[in-house]
Amino acid sequence: MIREQLSLAGKTAVVTGSGRGLGRAMALAMAEAGADLVITARTSGEIEAVGKEVEQYGRRALVIPCDVTKTEHVETMVARAIEVLGKIDILVNNAGGGRQKSVLEMSDEDWHWGIDLNLTSTFICARAVGRHMAARKCGKLINIASGWGYRGRRNSTAYCASKAAVINFTRALAVEWSQYHIQVNCIAPGYFPLKAAQDEQEARERAIRISRIPLGGGDAQDIGPLAVFLASEGANYLTGQTILLDGGALLP
């Protein structure tokens, strides 16, 4: 019974920003759990490589380059996914990023770049896939925020603001889409040092930061099981929630 509830066999998932890092980890975890995948990001080479990894699990992988800040790109991607794979059961809004710049130095373009990449893209993708899910009266939406959505960070105002907005977007959408039996939840990852330190100074700063986290820095593989659970039938009665996956970083 439990194994069946946590299985994604027969499901199709779209994971944005799945060419590397946490997006790749979630896509591969869902493939291992039985789902077919739509692998999408702006960089073709990376998503093609992840698509091949998905196929090694015996699952179908549809690789579609897409800029998720552009409505026309997203609408085309969603239409193609439904045409080829037949349906979309799961959407993971993972694409995002930030620029380090103080408010006094930020241009309008810097601000809109951060808001569009982290928040507007979440709205555009949710709307496009949501129409399909609402018609089917079922679906799982998983937004990816950040621990920085709960606190401030120097020179990262657009990132912190947009990730905080994703958290409340999740709450509001969960209420709105409950009538369609669509569960909307969010993961807020903490510190995941996915790349090697570039120099000694960065290595020292990283070590200090990790020392302040009760469970230390995270590994990309840590997010996969949580994403699979939220995408599964086991999470049917869970909606509007944001789960901090941060090793206890916000506890001290």
Side-chain angles (χ1 to χ4, degrees):
M1 180 67 174
I2 295 298
R3 182 176 298 179
E4 293 175 356
Q5 287 182 312
L6 296 178
S7 172
L8 300 185
K11 305 293 185 180
T12 298
V14 175
V15 182
T16 69
S18 47
R20 57 188 169 186
L22 299 183
R24 171 182 172 272
M26 288 185 284
L28 295 181
M30 289 184 178
E32 186 174 358
D36 294 325
L37 269 296
V38 178
I39 306 298
T40 183
R42 287 178 292 186
T43 306
S44 298
E46 291 181 338
I47 57 177
E48 288 171 0
V50 175
K52 292 179 180 177
E53 291 183 278
V54 167
E55 291 173 347
Q56 291 177 1
Y57 287 104
R59 309 312 311 163
R60 292 182 294 172
L62 179 60
V63 175
I64 307 178
C66 178
D67 182 345
V68 292
T69 66
K70 300 184 182 303
T71 296
E72 60 273 22
H73 286 210
V74 172
E75 296 285 355
T76 299
M77 179 268 290
V78 170
R80 178 63 175 162
I82 295 171
E83 176 188 2
V84 175
L85 299 177
K87 60 175 180 169
I88 298 173
D89 301 288
I90 303 154
L91 169 63
V92 181
N93 278 318
N94 170 72
R99 290 175 177 173
Q100 294 283 309
K101 189 174 288 189
S102 74
V103 166
L104 298 181
E105 297 174 334
M106 286 176 67
S107 65
D108 289 355
E109 189 276 333
D110 289 326
W111 174 262
H112 289 296
W113 182 87
I115 298 299
D116 287 348
L117 181 57
N118 295 301
L119 178 60
T120 305
S121 67
T122 298
F123 157 70
I124 291 173
C125 292
R127 181 180 60 184
V129 175
R131 294 189 184 111
H132 170 70
M133 290 181 173
R136 298 179 62 229
K137 300 289 186 182
C138 64
K140 305 284 185 179
L141 174 56
I142 303 169
N143 296 321
I144 305 301
S146 167
W148 293 114
Y150 288 93
R151 55 183 175 176
R153 183 185 186 188
R154 181 178 286 108
N155 298 333
S156 297
T157 51
Y159 184 79
C160 293
S162 59
K163 290 301 187 180
V166 167
I167 292 169
N168 218 37
F169 177 79
T170 298
R171 295 190 185 105
L173 196 60
V175 174
E176 185 174 318
W177 284 3
S178 62
Q179 62 183 312
Y180 304 119
H181 307 288
I182 300 171
Q183 290 79 49
V184 185
N185 290 293
C186 183
I187 300 173
Y191 184 49
F192 285 75
L194 303 176
K195 297 180 180 179
Q198 298 300 305
D199 51 44
E200 291 186 7
Q201 180 178 349
E202 183 178 347
R204 286 195 297 271
E205 292 173 351
R206 177 176 294 184
I208 292 172
R209 184 173 179 182
I210 290 175
S211 71
R212 295 170 178 166
I213 302 172
L215 295 182
D219 183 272
Q221 305 306 315
D222 294 328
I223 200 170
L226 177 56
V228 168
F229 166 67
L230 292 176
S232 74
E233 300 300 316
N236 280 352
Y237 198 57
L238 182 69
T239 197
Q241 303 304 306
T242 297
I243 300 176
L244 270 165
L245 188 68
D246 68 349
L250 289 182
L251 295 177

